[in-house]
């Protein structure tokens, strides 16, 4: 009888021991990006927070704080995802699309003092729309639209179709693609089809900015990236097929730009 009780107790202990190990293994197996520093930051955060169609409105309302966020499926948003902490977003081979019927805005806005790292753990994933590039991507953002007035009519200025980086903020593109963002009609002036840097820093170590186009009545600057201030550093990745009236790839006002490799 004692042996039987002891066997049951040992079996229970084994089951209880396996549960947290399996949960830990699931998180430990989580990898992100092509950059070891990104992986280290990801594992130090909250691995496994999933962005899905049924919870994206919560994040639109509350923003992305510290942690790692994985796009679990293709998602369409109708507002900007504001980054309010040290956040890593793994596109995971999926598409994050801005709804064209919504009020124009950036897909991500990195607020002052915050950092966004964009990466993709499934860079070869295909899409049902064969015209889209492989892997994870963000697309469709026209940029933050500012109404400059005009005495009975509207003069619109657009900033950062894909990502708006505030002064004092940081954005790292380590993987994934910023694709076909930017405004092509109705703008007086436009800045940064892919990325607009109000200040802070933009670092590109991987990924791509493709087919981002700006067209405006009086000025379109930086098809891929526009730096009003701060710094842009590119040590990897691709800028391709982007265009604007000034600076089809990168345009800088008071910022600095450094490209290596």
């Amino acid at each position: 009888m004692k042996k039987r009780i002891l066997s049951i107790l040992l079996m229970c202990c084994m089951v209880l021991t396996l549960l947290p190990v399996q949960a830990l293994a699931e998180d430990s197996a989580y990898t992100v990006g092509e950059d070891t520093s990104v992986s280290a930051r990801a594992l130090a955060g909250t691995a496994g927070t999933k962005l899905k169609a049924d919870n994206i409105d919560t994040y639109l309302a509350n923003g992305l704080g510290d942690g790692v966020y994985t796009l679990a499926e293709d998602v369409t948003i109708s507002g900007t995802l504001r980054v309010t902490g040290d956040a890593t977003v793994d596109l995971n081979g999926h598409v994050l699309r801005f709804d064209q019927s919504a009020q124009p805005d950036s897909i991500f806005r990195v607020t002052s003092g915050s950092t966004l790292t964009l990466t993709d753990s499934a860079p070869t994933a295909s899409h049902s729309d064969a015209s889209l590039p492989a892997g994870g991507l963000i697309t469709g953002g026209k940029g933050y639209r500012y109404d400059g007035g005009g005495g009975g009519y509207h003069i619109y200025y657009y900033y950062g179709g894909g990502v708006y980086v505030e002064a004092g903020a940081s954005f790292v593109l380590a993987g994934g693609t910023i694709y076909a963002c930017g405004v092509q009609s109705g703008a007086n002036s436009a800045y940064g089809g892919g990325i607009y840097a109000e200040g802070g820093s933009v670092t590109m170590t991987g990924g791509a900015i493709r087919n981002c186009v700006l067209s405006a009545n009086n000025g379109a600057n930086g098809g891929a990236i526009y730096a009003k201030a701060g710094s842009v550093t590119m040590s990897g990745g691709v800028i391709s097929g982007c265009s604007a009236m000034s600076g089809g790839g990168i345009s800088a006002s008071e910022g600095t730009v450094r490209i290596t490799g």
Side-chain angles (χ1 to χ4, degrees), residues 205-234:
T205 62
I209 306 174
R210 297 185 186 275
N211 295 17
C212 290
V213 176
L214 291 179
S215 181
N217 294 334
N218 294 310
N221 306 276
I225 303 172
Y226 179 80
K228 177 184 177 183
S231 65
V232 175
T233 303
M234 183 179 177

Side-chain angles (χ1 to χ4, degrees), residues 15 17 19 61 113 170 175 215 229:
V15 171
T17 303
L19 288 175
S170 298
S215 181

